[in-house]
């Protein structure tokens, strides 16, 4: 499995990157995923160019491909003006609108004060819900006073465990589907064909529905009784 971490921290060292690394380490313990980190600070110029000309540079293109191909995401942003940073939002603005559909995402943020702790709920969660991602229930916010304090490690472990469970479950489901490709088809009940006057049905039977499909002779309609339609859907 492939876990991609998107960090929007601007400073070096960065508390945003530190939180991203701790979340990734906790997730890997529960999923054995391969981790790739995308530092948005290094892509700022290419993101701006992409917004103006519509074409990603080589580094930005690789980052967008990594996010699209990931089995799970961890996204972490610093708080700017009570919301996510402009750089963070711009990266997801240039990402294809369908890239995150159905993808597990862990949202997290860092800030200088605990007063911004709801940024994950009023800004980040609606953004990724709009992108049709599957956002884990537990979001992680780390204020300056949270580092080394009681509670942060537990929130990290809980959120990472939720992400690992989603990634593992979806990966297993995908493997089952892939394993079923090429298997013998499930027998279906035969569907008789024929014609019937419009608006009539034999006595004691359910009405039939005309299915607009060509018959073997190249014309007309196939008339499939409702009972046979139900039987065809049963394994």
């Amino acid at each position: 499995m492939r876990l991609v971490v998107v960090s929007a921290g601007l400073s070096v060292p960065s508390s945003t990157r530190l939180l991203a690394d701790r979340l990734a380490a906790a997730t890997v313990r529960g999923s054995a995923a391969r981790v790739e980190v995308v530092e948005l600070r290094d892509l700022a110029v290419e993101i701006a160019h992409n917004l103006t000309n519509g074409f990603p540079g080589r580094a930005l293109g690789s980052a967008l491909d990594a996010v699209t191909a990931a089995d799970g995401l961890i996204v972490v942003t610093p708080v700017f003006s009570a919301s996510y940073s402009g750089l963070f939002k711009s990266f997801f603005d240039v990402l294809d609108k369908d890239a995150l559909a159905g993808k597990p995402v862990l949202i997290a943020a860092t800030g200088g004060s605990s007063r911004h702790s709801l940024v994950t709920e009023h800004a980040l969660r609606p953004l990724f819900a709009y992108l049709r991602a599957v956002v884990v229930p537990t979001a992680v916010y780390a204020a300056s006073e949270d580092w080394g304090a009681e509670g942060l490690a537990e929130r990290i472990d809980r959120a990472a465990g939720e992400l690992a469970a989603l990634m593992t479950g979806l990966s297993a489901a995908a493997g089952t589907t892939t394993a079923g490709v090429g298997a013998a088809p499930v027998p279906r009940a035969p569907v008789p064909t024929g014609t019937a006057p419009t608006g009539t049905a034999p006595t004691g039977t359910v009405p039939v529905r005309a299915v607009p499909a060509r018959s073997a002779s190249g014309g007309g309609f196939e008339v499939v009784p409702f009972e046979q339609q139900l039987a065809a859907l049963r394994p």
Side-chain angles (χ1 to χ4, degrees):
M1 289 186 296
R2 187 177 188 183
L3 174 64
V4 174
V5 180
V6 178
S7 171
L10 298 179
S11 59
V12 179
S14 165
S15 60
T16 300
R17 175 60 188 272
L18 176 59
L19 179 58
D21 288 344
R22 289 187 61 178
L23 287 166
T27 303
V28 168
R29 288 197 298 269
S31 66
R34 178 168 55 89
V35 179
E36 181 176 348
V37 178
V38 174
E39 279 279 12
L40 299 187
R41 180 175 61 89
D42 300 331
L43 302 173
V45 173
E46 290 193 20
I47 291 173
H49 287 168
N50 193 175
L51 288 170
T52 56
N53 62 28
F55 297 97
R58 180 175 299 176
L60 176 58
S62 296
L64 295 174
D65 290 342
V67 169
T68 301
D71 296 298
L73 288 180
I74 294 173
V75 297
V76 192
T77 179
V79 174
F80 277 46
S81 301
S83 186
Y84 38 66
S85 71
L87 179 61
F88 181 87
K89 178 61 163 56
S90 295
F91 176 77
F92 290 101
D93 282 342
V94 300
L95 184 68
D96 185 87
K97 63 182 179 64
D98 297 321
L100 300 187
K103 197 182 300 295
V105 177
L106 192 166
I107 55 175
T110 58
S113 167
S114 58
R115 290 177 296 176
H116 293 302
S117 60
L118 288 179
V119 69
T120 56
E121 305 305 320
H122 73 67
L124 286 169
R125 197 176 294 277
L127 170 63
F128 289 96
Y130 172 78
L131 295 172
R132 292 177 290 143
V134 180
V135 185
V136 302
T138 301
V140 180
Y141 176 81
S144 298
E145 62 265 26
D146 288 329
W147 296 103
E150 184 179 355
L152 179 59
E154 288 76 10
R155 294 200 304 274
I156 288 173
D157 288 341
R158 183 167 62 249
E162 292 168 355
L163 178 61
L166 275 175
M167 291 174 62
T168 302
L170 290 176
S171 177
T176 301
T177 302
T178 302
V181 174
V186 177
R188 300 291 185 183
V191 179
T193 60
T195 58
T198 303
T200 63
T203 303
T205 64
V206 296
V208 298
R209 180 172 63 90
V211 180
R214 292 205 176 269
S215 66
S217 61
F221 294 91
E222 294 181 16
V223 181
V224 183
F226 185 68
E227 290 177 329
Q228 296 298 332
Q229 295 179 46
L230 288 178
L233 294 175
R234 297 191 185 103

